[in-house]
Amino acid sequence: MKKTAYVNGFILDGSIDMQPVEGKAIIVDGETIEAIVPAKELKKKNYRVVDLKGAYIMPGLINLHAHLPTGGKAPKSDKKTNYKALSPLVRMVDWNPVLRLIFFLIQKPHLKQELFSGVTTLRVVGGVSDIDGAMKRKVENGEMIGPRLLVANTGVSVPGGHFAGVLATEAETPEMARAHVRKILKTKPDLIKLMITGGVMDAEVVGEPGILRMPPEIVAAACDEAHKAGLMVAAHVESPEGVRVALENGVDSIEHGATPDDEIIRLFKERGAIDICTISPAAPYCLLPEEISHAGDDARINGKVVMDGIIDCAKACLENDIPVGLGTDTGCPFINNYGMWRELHYFTKYVGVSNQFALYTATKRNAELIHIDDVTGTIEPGKSADMIVCKKNPLDDIKVLRNLEMVVSRGKLYTDLSFRKDTFVEDALDTLL
């Protein structure tokens, strides 16, 4: 097959100081960017030519925090989900092929939504059994449309902990935590996920979300077992105490975060840990009106505490040269599988970074943080051809990423990016722009 040449567009390469470059052609051979050459030197007859017609082409987005079993629908009441009641059903997935297929089919369209909204790499940090890993293999084999996947499969929690028995197993002792990690390792994950604190949805005290659930000794045991296998450990943490315990006991990636003090900043640096900023899931709880969010007073208050903590953590980390990445926490209420552009917008609006820095974070920086920057994250020779195309310049307005013209994933071009959206959720979230 002929190589493909992308011409007549403005290139944003994903670097921290990226600026539009015109007059160049991106040459793609199979799945890989072969070269970037002056367009005037291109002999078009030797290539399949894709005319960008003055649009902007940049690296595909990398979403570092997602869950695939749910699609982010709006809750219909303030009644909390009974995850304990769901636990027996989820455990059946390991041996019931019909139930396994049902979960598989539920998640399948979510992958297409992620890809067609511009996410060419997705880090899935907790799911049902090993279904995420099975989907990863199907994407890699070309049997399913979706982004490149890095998966934790199921996570590790404790009895009564965050998503215990649903998206995570329950470890009661350090020995059980080690055993759980070893079992998860057999499913060939890319990372291990711990649920160290509670969250907004399972908070028991108003004004105190993120209560510590996982004892330090269990955190340490799980991290030790994961590190022996050479894997990073990511942890759901939404309180300062939780962040401190996580960092003291070996966690590599703080997911969400909380307002840090000097000791937490010191621990971040000492551990070489990273912070994954996820403003999207907290914002609806505290910013949408109650008749839309169906969040009770406790959830709104706790949502505000968590949102402020996530923002404070990201700001403090950036001020102290601690790496910060971006993810959406897809699957939470109001957080669908096509809203990564919103997380970039929130990053600029609430953390105060430039559009340029937000785009860099969601591409090159995110790739660096999960150690795949030799594969993707920038538009340069030798990298995977993971690219997105939009009509206008996202450096001027992040929101132009909402409607894309093209997506290129591992060299394959997609131009029909249609999929069904939840208009109620979209309209509600648009009020936060």
Side-chain angles (χ1 to χ4, degrees):
M1 294 181 65
K2 284 187 176 182
K3 300 175 184 179
T4 302
Y6 292 85
V7 303
N8 194 26
F10 294 91
I11 301 172
L12 297 170
D13 64 6
S15 61
I16 193 169
D17 56 355
M18 73 181 92
Q19 290 295 328
V21 174
E22 60 179 324
K24 299 281 189 178
I26 302 170
I27 309 300
V28 174
D29 184 5
E31 297 186 0
T32 307
I33 298 172
E34 181 184 75
I36 300 174
V37 301
K40 62 183 179 181
E41 298 178 5
L42 191 70
K43 296 180 180 180
K44 294 184 179 180
K45 66 180 181 180
N46 296 329
Y47 299 93
R48 171 199 179 199
V49 175
V50 177
D51 186 353
L52 299 176
K53 300 178 181 179
Y56 290 77
I57 186 167
M58 61 173 282
L61 303 177
I62 300 173
N63 184 347
L64 291 188
H65 192 113
H67 305 279
L68 290 172
T70 57
K73 291 184 177 181
K76 296 181 179 180
S77 72
D78 61 357
K79 185 179 180 181
K80 295 182 179 180
T81 301
N82 187 342
Y83 293 109
K84 188 174 182 180
L86 286 175
S87 181
L89 181 68
V90 171
R91 285 197 294 267
M92 289 172 61
V93 172
D94 286 333
W95 56 267
N96 188 314
V98 174
L99 191 58
R100 185 177 180 84
L101 177 61
I102 290 172
F103 271 99
F104 203 93
L105 294 176
I106 288 172
Q107 295 189 183
K108 184 177 179 179
H110 299 163
L111 286 183
K112 182 182 284 189
Q113 290 172 350
E114 290 281 354
L115 182 63
F116 285 6
S117 64
V119 173
T120 55
T121 299
L122 184 68
R123 181 172 175 252
V124 190
V125 287
V128 174
S129 187
D130 63 340
I131 288 177
D132 295 338
M135 301 191 86
K136 172 184 175 178
R137 291 188 290 274
K138 284 194 174 292
V139 170
E140 290 176 343
N141 294 335
E143 301 172 49
M144 184 181 296
I145 294 175
R148 173 185 295 102
L149 294 176
L150 287 85
V151 302
N153 289 324
T154 195
V156 179
S157 188
V158 294
H162 195 60
F163 282 110
V166 182
L167 301 184
T169 61
E170 300 170 281
E172 299 180 34
T173 66
E175 293 72 23
M176 287 180 69
R178 288 182 182 276
H180 285 311
V181 171
R182 287 194 294 268
K183 184 177 180 180
I184 295 167
L185 289 173
K186 292 179 180 179
T187 68
K188 299 182 180 179
D190 300 290
L191 70 153
I192 295 296
K193 172 70 179 295
L194 306 183
M195 305 293 192
I196 291 180
T197 74
V200 175
M201 291 185 287
D202 55 15
E204 296 178 354
V205 180
V206 176
E208 190 183 354
I211 188 170
L212 184 66
R213 302 287 190 190
M214 184 174 285
E217 60 271 21
I218 291 183
V219 177
C223 288
D224 181 59
E225 206 66 35
H227 291 157
K228 285 179 182 178
L231 296 188
M232 290 180 65
V233 177
H236 168 98
V237 189
E238 292 187 347
S239 67
E241 181 186 17
V243 175
R244 180 182 57 77
V245 167
L247 295 174
E248 285 178 340
N249 291 281
V251 166
D252 304 290
S253 172
I254 297 296
E255 311 289 316
H256 316 304
T259 303
D261 56 18
D262 291 342
E263 173 67 6
I264 286 174
I265 294 299
R266 183 191 69 78
L267 287 169
F268 261 113
K269 291 183 175 182
E270 183 179 280
R271 280 280 307 129
I274 64 176
D275 172 56
I276 306 302
C277 179
T278 59
I279 298 171
S280 292
Y285 278 99
C286 57
L287 299 180
L288 290 178
E290 184 177 357
E291 62 269 21
I292 298 295
S293 69
H294 291 292
D297 290 340
D298 57 342
R300 288 201 306 277
I301 294 170
N302 289 334
K304 184 67 164 60
V305 171
V306 168
M307 183 171 172
D308 289 347
I310 291 169
I311 293 168
D312 290 345
C313 194
K315 285 182 175 179
C317 284
L318 289 175
E319 289 169 0
N320 287 276
D321 296 321
I322 296 164
V324 175
L326 291 179
T328 59
D329 208 359
T330 290
C332 289
F334 287 96
I335 312 306
N336 50 47
N337 292 276
Y338 39 91
M340 183 62 182
W341 68 271
R342 292 186 190 274
E343 188 65 36
L344 273 73
H345 172 72
Y346 295 149
F347 197 42
T348 62
K349 182 175 182 178
Y350 296 110
V351 180
V353 305
S354 66
N355 288 351
Q356 185 183 56
F357 191 83
L359 293 170
Y360 153 74
T361 301
T363 55
K364 183 178 181 181
R365 191 53 160 163
N366 272 359
E368 292 172 342
L369 298 185
I370 56 174
H371 310 300
I372 58 170
D373 51 305
D374 59 331
V375 175
T376 191
T378 54
I379 295 180
E380 60 180 311
K383 295 290 182 70
S384 177
D386 300 329
M387 305 179 290
I388 58 177
V389 178
C390 52
K391 279 187 177 180
K392 296 182 179 180
N393 188 356
L395 291 176
D396 296 332
D397 185 0
I398 289 289
K399 295 190 291 297
V400 303
L401 296 177
R402 180 178 197 161
N403 297 300
L404 300 176
E405 301 296 302
M406 305 176 190
V407 170
V408 184
S409 176
R410 297 179 297 283
K412 186 170 183 178
L413 172 63
Y414 298 90
T415 55
D416 180 3
L417 305 178
S418 58
F419 57 85
R420 182 179 295 180
K421 293 185 178 182
D422 187 328
T423 55
F424 179 85
V425 168
E426 289 292 279
D427 290 345
L429 293 179
D430 283 353
T431 66
L432 307 182
L433 298 178

